[in-house]
Structure formats: C-alpha cells, structure tokens
Amino acid sequence: MTAALARPPAASAYPCQAYSCAVTTLDALGQDAAAWDDLSSRSGDTHPFYSRHVMLAHRASGLAAPDLRVVVVRFGDRLEAVLPFRRSYDICGLGRCVSLPYLSPFITATAPLVADGPERPAILATLVAGLAAASAGRPWRWPLLSVETSLGRDLLTAMGLAGWDVGEVARFWRPVLQRRPDHAAFLAGHPHPSRLKDLRRRQRRIAEGGAVSLETETRGPGLARAVEVFLTVEAAGWKGAAGSAMACQAAHATFARAVFGAGEGPVGIRADTLRQAGTPLAVSLALVSGGTAYLLKTAYDETARAYAPGLVLEAEIVRALHVDAFADRLDSATLAGSALESLYRERDAVAEIIAVPDAGRGLISLERRLRLARFEGEARHEVRRLLRR
C-alpha cells in the first residue's frame, strides 16, 4: 500500500509541482523492479545499498521486514528518489520517536538513492518535504552520510532551503581511492611508501610457500564458490569463535549468498581471492555500482596473519583496478581507524547528522539534541574500551 504525502509548499526554491512523494513498503516497491533498477542506473555515483538488489537481499534474509517503509519520489511512473526508513525511540528525542534511514550491519552509507542530473535539486526538495511528512515533523537522526559529495551537499542544501535545522554529531574520514591513469601513477608520490614496501616484502614471503595469484569472479558458479570460501575463511577466525562471522548466523549467511549472488540489474558483484599455491589466504567481496567498487567484506586466513594476507589482497585489488579498469574508484566501506588509511590516497567525509524539520523545532533545541547524541556516542566508546581491556 502506498500513502500519499503532501506536495512541497509553493514557496519552494525549485519547481517541484511535477514531482510527487509518497510512503510505500519494501514489498510493494519490489514489485516495481524495472523502475527501481532504472533509478539505480540514473543515480550517478550514488551508493548501491538502497538499490533493489541489496534491499531485496535484506528482505530475503529477514534483515528487513516486507512492510519496511520507504519514501519515494516519482515523476509520473518514473522513480526519482528512494529512501527506506524506520522510526525508533532515541536519546536525542528525549525518549520520543525519531526517524532514521534504514541501517543494517551491511550498509555503510545512507544517502538516499536519487536520480542524477539538473533536476536533482527539485527532486531533493520534494524528497525533503516528504521526509518531514513521513516523520510527522519529528527529527531525523542520520548516520553515515557522505557530507562532502555532491549528493550529500545537495541534500543538506535542500534541508536548509526547507527551513530545517541541521547539525553534525560527529564525522570520520573513510579511505577511498580514485583510479589513476596506471598503477605506476598511483605509486608515484604515494604518501606512505614504507607501507607499500612492507606489503611487497610480505608478498615475497607468501610466495616462498608457493605461487601467489589473484582469482576474480563476477558471475556464475565461480562467484558462488568464492562466496562459500569467504564464509568458511571468516568462520575459521576470531569472528567465528566470537559468533559474529556471517556463517554463524543464518540470516547473515542467507544475506551473503543473496547480495553477493549475481543477478539482473545495475549492481555488479566482484569476488577477489588471494591464493598461495591454490589455497585461499584472503577473500574480498564487493558491490560495484555507479563506477565505484564498495569493498564490503574481507576475510583472511588467520594462520597466515604474519604475512598480512588481507592487506596484500587489497594491494592486489588496487593493481587490478589500474590494469582492468573495472571501476573508477574504490570505497573501503569502513569505519574510522581502517588499516586501508595507509594504502588508499583519498578520503570521504562521513558524518552523523541530526536534521529537524521546521515543525519540530520548538520541542528541544538542536544544540541539546546534538549534546545528547554525542554523550551517547562517548558512552558507547567507553564501554567498548573497557570490554577490550
């Protein structure tokens, strides 16, 4: 079922009257496969996590409910924007509900899926009006938003033009890598030459035990086998012992096989396996969308930890990027403190924001909401620190 939302006010800075906004469900949106895939194809460099392929993998595994709510913007029968969301009681609302973009352990970016092009400001103006209606004027707590990309800036601009109060809780810098003309150009002037030298040394040590190769799969039985190898390698390490490996939880294993299984649509899959004399030492599973490969999951054989096989694999993927040009950019899909900070040369500013529609301003000040959210983050960090002791 789809519930219509109010159109943007006539005073909007953009001519939005041609667009309509509504709330639908994940199950209903999944029935409109062609339109959803078409939007993903027109979304430029928008991430793949709210694409049909990824969201239906969440539904198939039980990680997302069929009735998960989704704000959509349309122009006639054509989809122009998609944002799955949920409501939750939250400290920044003093126990009242706030709205959040849908998040799972396997989603590392939460910008809405929005068509690219000159009409993007009008689409976002319509979307922002729909977000205010969908939350009944209550705040949005928005994690993992790339605030310095063109889409991130445009979204924040649209919120500002609509009279929203927006503040930043925290940010970190995610390693990303823009493809150079060739691998030599990537290496030239690299800010961490000692890291590159160390990785070459470790690769030579691995080669002492047998020929080292990079095996890449993108479809068919080979891809399915690579996913199973990943699940086995990850489960054999500390994550398996802790019960957090994907193979340890039925829903997560189902999700892995669904999301990293090739299917129709604009999202591509890539599995890279580093082998020593045919034995897998490390496996990387990636989603490829809009010219970017998102390296979502990596596992390595912990008996070979001294050789840093996971990082050696990452370095080989960088080499393959420049040789095969399978993408324009690599996204590490990590949180703060990634080991890839010494390998990847660019950074993506990723922030958590609180955004309050005009109708929700009077209850609690934005500054107080930000302080509460920061306090919560600091408390969680301290708990994790104590547990590691």
Side-chain angles (χ1 to χ4, degrees), residues 14 27 43 82 93 145 156 162 221 242 269 326 331 356 358 370:
Y14 299 105
D27 204 34
S43 64
V82 163
L145 180 65
L156 295 176
I269 314 298
F326 62 83
D331 185 309
V356 185
D358 180 63
L370 292 171

Side-chain angles (χ1 to χ4, degrees), residues 53-130:
H53 177 83
V54 177
M55 287 307 302
L56 293 191
H58 279 86
R59 188 188 69 176
S61 61
L63 294 175
D67 61 354
L68 175 72
R69 286 171 287 189
V70 186
V71 178
V72 297
V73 175
R74 293 183 182 271
F75 183 90
D77 292 334
R78 190 173 68 186
L79 270 176
E80 300 291 354
V82 163
L83 182 71
F85 76 101
R86 63 183 182 87
R87 290 177 179 169
S88 176
Y89 295 101
D90 191 271
I91 190 171
C92 78
L94 286 181
R96 295 185 176 93
C97 273
V98 302
S99 294
L100 308 95
Y102 175 73
L103 195 63
S104 82
F106 312 109
I107 288 177
T108 66
T110 61
L113 184 63
V114 183
D116 200 3
E119 297 302 316
R120 177 176 275 181
I123 297 168
L124 284 172
T126 307
L127 176 65
V128 166

Side-chain angles (χ1 to χ4, degrees), residues 97-278:
C97 273
V98 302
S99 294
L100 308 95
Y102 175 73
L103 195 63
S104 82
F106 312 109
I107 288 177
T108 66
T110 61
L113 184 63
V114 183
D116 200 3
E119 297 302 316
R120 177 176 275 181
I123 297 168
L124 284 172
T126 307
L127 176 65
V128 166
L131 296 179
S135 70
R138 296 185 179 92
W140 284 77
R141 186 168 180 176
W142 206 303
L144 300 176
L145 180 65
S146 295
V147 291
E148 294 182 359
T149 63
S150 60
L151 176 57
R153 290 193 299 267
D154 288 349
L155 176 62
L156 295 176
T157 296
M159 289 177 172
L161 289 170
W164 290 41
D165 281 341
V166 180
E168 194 170 295
V169 177
R171 73 163 58 187
F172 68 94
W173 284 262
R174 174 176 289 159
V176 295
L177 192 155
Q178 198 71 30
R179 178 165 54 87
R180 270 64 175 181
D182 53 42
H183 192 241
F186 163 76
L187 297 175
H190 194 285
H192 301 288
S194 60
R195 165 56 78 184
L196 301 181
K197 182 178 180 180
D198 177 65
L199 288 174
R200 289 193 295 270
R201 179 180 61 82
R202 292 176 188 271
Q203 187 170 21
R204 287 195 298 269
R205 290 185 61 193
I206 295 175
E208 291 172 1
V212 177
S213 62
L214 178 68
E215 180 181 286
T216 301
E217 301 289 351
T218 60
R219 62 178 62 86
L223 176 60
R225 286 193 296 270
V227 173
E228 296 304 319
V229 170
F230 167 85
L231 292 172
T232 299
V233 170
E234 186 186 49
W238 70 267
K239 288 186 176 181
S244 61
M246 295 187 80
C248 295
Q249 302 182 52
H252 291 185
T254 300
F255 174 80
R257 294 182 177 107
V259 79
F260 296 116
E264 296 181 356
V267 177
I269 314 298
R270 182 180 175 94
D272 291 287
T273 304
L274 181 74
R275 293 182 179 272
Q276 178 195 57

